[in-house]
Amino acid sequence: MTSFPHRLKSDDRGSPAVEFVLVLPVALLMMLGLGDLAYQAYLESVLTGAVQKAGRDATIQGKAAETSAIDQMVMDAVKVVSSRATFVSSRKNYDNYTAVAAEPFTDTNHNGVHDAGECYSDVNGNNVWDADPGSSGEGGASDVSVYKMTATFPRLFPTWLVGWSSTASITASTYLKNQPYATQNVVTVTTKCN
């Protein structure tokens, strides 16, 4: 007859249960993380599609006044997937696609930053150098409109277990040219050195 410690040492009947207990938490965390990333990717595709449709709708003549209805359409599409999502939208307009950038300037000291006294092209006519020369709103005929929507939503799974926040944010945007239903109001670009 063998002694109790010797029998315990050679007994391997419970080893799969011990391995299962060690692997289970890691496997569950991986599944939760992957599930949450897949949920976020799906939500992002829904938001992107809704923003692109809303952008196209907004560029039609007469729709510029219906921005709240267009925003609501995007929010409704996302809320089908995430009912507790919150939203922030923004609209800017530019004279053309090349104006969707910082106003060009002459970098006399070669530091990559616009400093006081360096000459710049005043694209939007406000007599100030702008990193973003866009004007607020949908714009007018033939203007380039940039529509953005940010959705913040609670995560689907308790991913705080792996250090993620309890909410996530996604942003979708679209750049479209308004229909040429009237004469475009174009600002004359001048060079300023202030």
Side-chain angles (χ1 to χ4, degrees):
M1 173 144 184
T2 59
S3 66
F4 176 73
H6 189 271
R7 279 194 330 241
L8 187 62
K9 185 177 177 183
S10 64
D11 189 4
D12 62 357
R13 289 178 292 171
S15 63
V18 173
E19 291 170 2
F20 179 74
V21 167
L22 292 174
V23 172
L24 180 65
V26 175
L28 283 175
L29 284 176
M30 284 180 52
M31 286 189 299
L32 291 177
L34 288 173
D36 199 71
L37 289 175
Y39 175 68
Q40 183 172 338
Y42 177 64
L43 200 57
E44 189 169 4
S45 71
V46 170
L47 177 65
T48 300
V51 164
Q52 289 175 351
K53 176 162 182 0
R56 289 189 303 273
D57 290 349
T59 60
I60 299 171
Q61 179 179 359
K63 293 287 189 172
E66 299 177 17
T67 56
S68 61
I70 290 171
D71 284 352
Q72 190 62 49
M73 181 191 73
V74 173
M75 291 186 271
D76 290 345
V78 173
K79 284 191 175 202
V80 168
V81 181
S82 179
S83 61
R84 295 186 298 154
T86 58
F87 302 90
V88 176
S89 69
S90 68
R91 288 175 173 78
K92 284 201 164 190
N93 64 82
Y94 305 83
D95 286 343
N96 54 55
Y97 284 105
T98 60
V100 186
E103 291 179 320
F105 65 95
T106 305
D107 193 9
T108 54
N109 60 2
H110 305 290
N111 67 351
V113 177
H114 177 264
D115 297 312
E118 291 182 329
C119 296
Y120 63 93
S121 298
D122 191 15
V123 173
N124 58 5
N126 67 351
N127 297 321
V128 177
W129 180 83
D130 294 300
D132 184 356
S135 300
S136 177
E138 192 67 33
S142 296
D143 286 342
V144 172
S145 175
V146 179
Y147 174 54
K148 282 186 184 175
M149 180 71 83
T150 299
T152 302
F153 58 95
R155 291 193 184 273
L156 193 58
F157 300 109
T159 52
W160 53 267
L161 294 169
V162 291
W164 293 355
S165 70
S166 61
T167 61
S169 292
I170 52 175
T171 300
S173 61
T174 184
Y175 296 69
L176 293 167
K177 191 168 183 103
N178 291 337
Q179 288 188 1
Y181 50 82
T183 305
Q184 184 181 24
N185 182 17
V186 179
V187 176
T188 302
V189 177
T190 58
T191 301
K192 306 281 183 178
C193 297
N194 54 357

